[in-house]
Amino acid sequence: QPGGRTRRTAALGILVAAGLLVALTFASFSVGRFPVGPTALVRLLAAKATGAPSDLPPAVETVVFRIRGPRVLAALAIGAALAAAGAAYQGLFRNPLVSPDILGVSAGAAFGAVLGIYLSLNVIAIQALAFAVGLAAVAAVYLVSAFLRRHDPLLTLVLAGVLIGTLLGSCVSLVKYLADPYNQLPAITFWLLGSLSGLTVRDLLATLPAVAAGLVPLYLLRWRMKVMTLPDEEARALGVDTGRMRLVVIAAATLMTAAVVSVS
């Protein structure tokens, strides 16, 4: 049956993708100035799980659990969050080209971080400001679209997102123009390029709860999100509160995106 073949093909694709993800995760520990091979990694994880002493040098444990491990886990969490947010927005806006930053969350986070660097704040304050301004940007987009109730809600959300994102991008350019070209401007430029090299265990622990808080409601509401791909009239006829559902999806996707952008 066509439906059965489709499900089997989808299951096979998921298995292949999961296998590639595991292989790339192990391979990532083997790259760098201090490579840790798959065999050594498995031995170290087994010793850690059982509580038995490891026969590997202490430097290996430091690299795995303090340096490279948090970066690898953060890369997995960031990829999962952005993929889930993008898929949620693509269904919500009924467009396969929609990205997680369509409502201005990335531009807001960038402006928050750039402003923090310009004010010479510490790393934690810069990340917190990026997270807060990213959320505030999407809140502003939603408020602007809420005032235009006579128009298509999806169209007003997209246009408001473009407007707010462009405005915040201009604010980033203004701060870069005002920043000290010898100290602040290079820091702003490298932050906007993105990196996981400075990520610590504390950053990872602060990011994972926000990612989970966004992924869980999206997973629980996945069937209603499928209904949201229909026109609003049909979705409401099937018992879905489109306004509330749209707000929940946007809030969950924004929370994840703002959290991962602020640390990456």
Side-chain angles (χ1 to χ4, degrees), residues 52-66:
S54 174
D55 57 348
L56 297 171
V60 175
E61 184 172 352
T62 301
V63 168
V64 170
F65 293 111
R66 296 285 182 179

Side-chain angles (χ1 to χ4, degrees), residues 6 10 43 58 75 95 99 107 114 116-117 119 121 133 153 161 184 206:
T6 302
R43 286 164 51 196
N95 190 326
S99 62
V114 167
I117 296 172
L119 297 175
L121 302 179
V133 178
Q184 294 176 334

Side-chain angles (χ1 to χ4, degrees), residues 79-94:
L82 294 180
Y89 278 154
Q90 286 168 7
L92 184 67
F93 293 102
R94 308 181 192 114

Side-chain angles (χ1 to χ4, degrees), residues 9-119:
T9 302
L12 179 61
I14 292 173
L15 288 176
V16 171
L20 289 174
L21 181 62
V22 173
L24 288 173
T25 301
F26 275 92
S28 63
F29 284 92
S30 303
V31 178
R33 296 183 179 181
F34 196 97
V36 179
T39 304
L41 180 61
V42 171
R43 286 164 51 196
L44 179 60
L45 294 178
K48 199 72 174 179
T50 58
S54 174
D55 57 348
L56 297 171
V60 175
E61 184 172 352
T62 301
V63 168
V64 170
F65 293 111
R66 296 285 182 179
I67 301 175
R68 203 164 293 163
R71 297 176 188 176
V72 173
L73 292 178
L76 295 174
I78 291 167
L82 294 180
Y89 278 154
Q90 286 168 7
L92 184 67
F93 293 102
R94 308 181 192 114
N95 190 326
L97 300 179
V98 169
S99 62
D101 59 351
I102 189 172
L103 298 184
V105 59
S106 295
F111 176 61
V114 167
L115 188 61
I117 296 172
Y118 179 73
L119 297 175

Side-chain angles (χ1 to χ4, degrees), residues 199-210:
L199 193 134
T200 63
V201 177
R202 181 176 57 187
D203 297 329
L204 179 64
L205 295 178
T207 305
L208 290 180

